[in-house]
């Protein structure tokens, strides 16, 4: 059963790169004055949009790379460096590569729908999670592992949605 460790490894990689808790904290700060029902709708829309983008990258990423004449091993090196930088930022307690900078926060505070930007992209489906989706799908050896990776993407998105829904409780718990 080589598929089970590969699928679990995919889950851990995707979970770390998507970062449901970090996403929930940013979601709570961006939607502090929004009605509870609107927050649920906003969370659902942002997770759905990010899920669509992640699934498109996971399924079609290798094909697009081949069109651009980028080999999967070369992308693995670049993606590995991106994952390493994300791990370093998590180790040293900095906000990470997928966090929002001041300019993005100002853009998000303007009136309008924030489901696409900054929630779906770059927060949930940021460069790291998109690269991770392509990389973990690229190392699958069959349709069972590929289906497992897609299932792990969906599980991570469900966990992210749950964390966004429980954002206020998470902030109270974590301080």
């Amino acid at each position: 059963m080589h598929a089970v460790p590969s699928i679990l490894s995919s889950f851990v990689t995707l979970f770390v790169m998507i970062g449901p808790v970090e996403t929930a904290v940013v979601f709570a700060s961006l939607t502090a004055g929004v009605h509870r029902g609107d927050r649920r709708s906003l969370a659902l829309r942002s997770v759905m949009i990010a899920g669509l983008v992640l699934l498109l990258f996971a399924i079609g990423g290798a094909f697009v790379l081949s069109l651009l004449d980028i080999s999967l091993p070369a992308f693995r090196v670049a993606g590995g460096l991106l994952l390493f930088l994300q791990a370093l930022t998590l180790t040293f307690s900095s906000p990470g590569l997928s966090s929002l900078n001041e300019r993005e926060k100002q853009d998000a505070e303007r009136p309008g729908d924030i489901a696409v930007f900054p929630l779906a992209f770059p927060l949930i489906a940021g460069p790291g999670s998109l690269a991770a989706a392509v990389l973990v799908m690229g190392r699958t050896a069959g349709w069972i592992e590929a289906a497992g990776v897609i299932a792990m993407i969906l599980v991570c998105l469900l966990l992210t949605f749950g964390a966004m829904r429980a954002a206020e409780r998470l902030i109270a718990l974590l301080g």
Side-chain angles (χ1 to χ4, degrees):
M1 281 269 129
H2 182 264
V4 174
S6 175
I7 292 170
L8 289 176
S9 172
S10 298
F11 170 74
V12 170
T13 302
L14 291 164
F15 184 81
V16 168
M17 294 312 298
I18 292 172
V21 175
E22 177 185 348
T23 300
V25 170
V26 174
F27 176 76
S29 69
L30 290 176
T31 60
V34 177
H35 185 268
R36 191 175 216 75
D38 293 336
R39 288 176 73 158
R40 182 183 188 284
S41 171
L42 189 61
L44 183 62
R45 279 195 328 258
S46 62
V47 168
M48 296 292 280
I49 293 166
L52 179 66
V53 172
L54 282 167
L55 289 174
L56 284 173
F57 267 73
I59 294 168
F63 176 70
V64 171
L65 287 175
S66 69
L67 288 177
L68 297 172
D69 202 26
I70 299 173
S71 68
L72 197 54
F75 190 73
R76 279 191 185 116
V77 171
L81 287 173
L82 188 61
L83 294 175
F84 177 70
L85 289 173
Q86 181 72 15
L88 279 178
T89 58
L90 291 172
T91 301
F92 295 111
S93 299
S94 67
L97 296 174
S98 63
S99 64
L100 300 176
N101 62 32
E102 285 304 316
R103 171 97 169 118
E104 291 169 335
K105 286 180 185 175
Q106 291 171 356
D107 287 343
E109 290 171 358
R110 293 184 193 152
D113 189 14
I114 61 171
V116 175
F117 177 82
L119 290 176
F121 188 83
L123 197 59
I124 300 170
S129 57
L130 294 173
V134 173
L135 290 173
V136 296
M137 187 61 90
R139 72 178 184 208
T140 58
W143 68 271
I144 293 176
E145 285 184 25
V149 168
I150 290 172
M152 292 305 102
I153 290 172
L154 296 175
V155 166
C156 287
L157 289 170
L158 283 172
L159 290 172
T160 302
F161 178 71
M164 291 168 84
R165 294 286 296 137
E168 293 171 351
R169 291 185 295 260
L170 280 173
I171 290 175
L173 181 69
L174 297 175

